[in-house]
Amino acid sequence: MTGGSGRGGRALSLAVWGLTRAVLLLCVFKVFTVPGPDVTSDVSAIYRGWYEVLRAGTYPLDDVTWQYPPAAALAVLSPDLLPFLEYASAFFVLVLLCDALVFGLLLYAGSRTCGREAGVWLWVAGVPLLGPTVYARYDLMVTAVAVAALLAGVRHPRVLGALAAFGTLLKVWPALLLVGTARGRDTRRSWSAAALTAAVLVVASAVVAPGAFAFLTFQRDRGLEIESLGALVFHGARQFGWEGRVELRYGSMEFAGPHVALVSTLALALSVFAFGWLLLWRLRARISEVHTPADAAFTAVLLFTVTSRVISPQYMVWPLGVGAVCLVFRGSRMALPACLVLVATGVTLLEFPLGFAHVVASDAEGVALMAVRNGLLAVAAVSAARRLWRATVPGARKGREAARISRAGRADTPASAP
């Protein structure tokens, strides 16, 4: 995942970025047609409908597909920045600009002392592996905020906090960026800035338009989406006569039927367990290096993505962006989990939109695709958590060193004579 060095490597990455993004634009503008469902309909129909409601001065109170924090309105309204373009076209161009921003930030960070270009290449290669879906959702915009926050946080913890809070009110998950801040002054500065920024944005949202927090009810009522890890239970059960079905609910395809509520509850319990593990790690960790906040954020994003009741294809851009920041730092231990995420991203394109009919039908191809994609994500999450713990918890590091020395000692000891 490393490119050339110096100017040659940067020129090559820029050329590959430009070529792959041109292909993505041709896909969303329908010059090329990608098999499967039309991934651009969310922008042209759903986002455009929300846009009209928001311009009227209220949040979409009666639309259960509105499941996003109040600042998401800014993403939906953003095409107004390009009034000379039709709504969907303007949205696609703005996502491209956010993509370019992430690329530029990673390129700049990788060119600095002690940086490396692996993070740039993870982003350059990973984004097009999601296909046109990545430009037809606003998740890449949120990821751009997260990448900027983590890179700025190296020197400016308050900026990290403010951007993390803004990202949280765009799509919740950027709150995880704060889990790995260094103890003491950095944590106080970043968390206080996040709290202040969040308070200002929440009050402003509530004042500007009614219904800013209607999304909480809609999100709470969501079920088990067919692409989630827990859904594998029912993909398998359908092969043995399970009486459930697949329904379009809350804007996504979900399982409905016997025992779905139980598995959905278990998924929530896994998310609580992941939160508990992160809390324990935070209490036990004592070793913090420049890359630790990014490594911790990457681990947290993976844990909560894997345990979510919904793993929509566009969610893959979250760990791609945060993982790319990790790989900017030479000391990061997240290379293997990041590579697993990259492979999982490619499998995601195969299941949506290319093979989505197979996933809905739970046939052999669909089940295999979901098992591989979610399996890769699960292994990446466990690997990232293990590496983070070993790198930051003093006892774990000592235990690893002792084991290594013991193995080396045994290797150097002559075999006993018979």
Side-chain angles (χ1 to χ4, degrees):
M1 239 177 351
T2 58
S5 58
R7 293 182 180 178
R10 291 192 290 272
L12 179 60
S13 63
L14 177 59
V16 175
W17 181 90
L19 178 62
T20 53
R21 274 46 177 189
V23 173
L24 286 177
L25 283 179
L26 291 173
C27 289
V28 293
F29 282 113
K30 299 183 179 179
V31 177
F32 299 149
T33 301
V34 176
D38 179 10
V39 301
T40 66
S41 61
D42 276 32
V43 177
S44 59
I46 298 176
Y47 284 20
R48 181 58 190 263
W50 293 339
Y51 170 82
E52 298 296 343
V53 173
L54 289 165
R55 290 197 70 184
T58 183
Y59 285 88
L61 297 172
D62 301 320
D63 188 348
V64 296
T65 61
W66 176 260
Q67 299 160 13
Y68 308 107
L74 298 177
V76 175
L77 293 169
S78 63
D80 275 346
L81 296 172
L82 303 176
F84 49 87
L85 292 176
E86 181 268 333
Y87 181 87
S89 299
F91 184 88
F92 300 145
V93 171
L94 288 170
V95 175
L96 171 68
L97 294 176
C98 290
D99 185 358
L101 173 63
V102 174
F103 174 74
L105 290 172
L106 293 170
L107 196 63
Y108 174 73
S111 65
R112 295 174 62 184
T113 304
C114 296
R116 61 179 178 176
E117 296 178 5
V120 175
W121 284 102
L122 182 69
W123 182 256
V124 169
V127 169
L129 284 179
L130 274 176
T133 304
V134 74
Y135 272 20
R137 307 290 188 272
Y138 84 95
D139 294 78
L140 196 148
M141 296 178 173
V142 183
T143 303
V145 174
V147 170
L150 286 170
L151 292 176
V154 173
R155 295 187 178 183
H156 307 287
R158 289 192 178 95
V159 177
L160 165 61
L163 289 176
F166 176 56
T168 300
L169 289 176
L170 280 170
K171 204 160 187 180
V172 181
W173 70 265
L176 300 172
L177 303 179
L178 298 172
V179 71
T181 53
R183 291 171 178 270
R185 185 176 60 181
D186 283 0
T187 290
R188 289 193 299 272
R189 288 181 174 179
S190 59
W191 290 22
S192 60
L196 178 61
T197 303
V200 170
L201 291 175
V202 165
V203 171
S205 300
V207 170
V208 168
F213 302 101
F215 78 98
L216 292 172
T217 298
F218 302 150
Q219 187 63 244
R220 180 197 63 199
D221 294 338
R222 292 197 72 165
L224 194 70
E225 197 246 5
I226 64 172
E227 294 168 281
S228 66
L229 181 64
L232 285 171
V233 173
F234 300 105
H235 282 299
R238 292 179 88 181
Q239 316 306 314
F240 300 96
W242 178 65
E243 298 178 354
R245 60 200 177 278
V246 174
E247 296 181 351
L248 178 61
R249 301 176 65 236
Y250 297 93
S252 64
M253 304 301 290
E254 297 183 353
F255 278 121
H259 311 300
V260 172
L262 172 61
V263 175
S264 183
T265 301
L266 290 175
L268 288 174
L270 282 177
S271 293
V272 172
F273 177 80
F275 176 80
W277 183 90
L278 284 169
L279 180 60
L280 177 64
W281 169 80
R282 177 79 191 183
L283 294 173
R284 294 284 304 277
R286 290 294 183 274
I287 303 167
S288 183
E289 301 176 72
V290 66
H291 53 81
T292 300
D295 289 355
F298 179 59
T299 302
V301 169
L302 276 174
L303 287 171
F304 280 96
T305 300
V306 168
T307 60
S308 172
R309 294 174 296 173
V310 181
I311 310 180
S312 296
Q314 64 270 19
Y315 289 13
M316 295 300 299
V317 78
W318 310 347
L320 273 177
V322 181
V325 175
C326 293
L327 297 192
V328 163
F329 302 103
R330 293 190 180 278
S332 175
R333 295 159 177 83
M334 296 297 159
L336 176 59
C339 288
L340 293 173
V341 168
L342 184 65
V343 177
T345 302
V347 179
T348 299
L349 175 61
L350 296 179
E351 66 92 358
F352 186 89
L354 300 182
F356 196 59
H358 297 285
V359 177
V360 173
S362 298
D363 63 18
E365 181 177 339
V367 174
L369 286 171
M370 294 318 312
V372 172
R373 197 281 298 270
N374 291 338
L376 286 168
L377 286 178
V379 172
V382 172
S383 174
R386 186 167 176 262
R387 288 162 180 257
L388 179 68
W389 186 278
R390 287 187 169 187
T392 56
V393 176
R397 174 176 283 191
K398 291 177 181 178
R400 182 179 60 180
E401 289 299 315
R404 183 185 64 81
I405 293 171
S406 176
R407 287 194 299 270
R410 287 196 299 270
D412 292 339
T413 301
S416 299

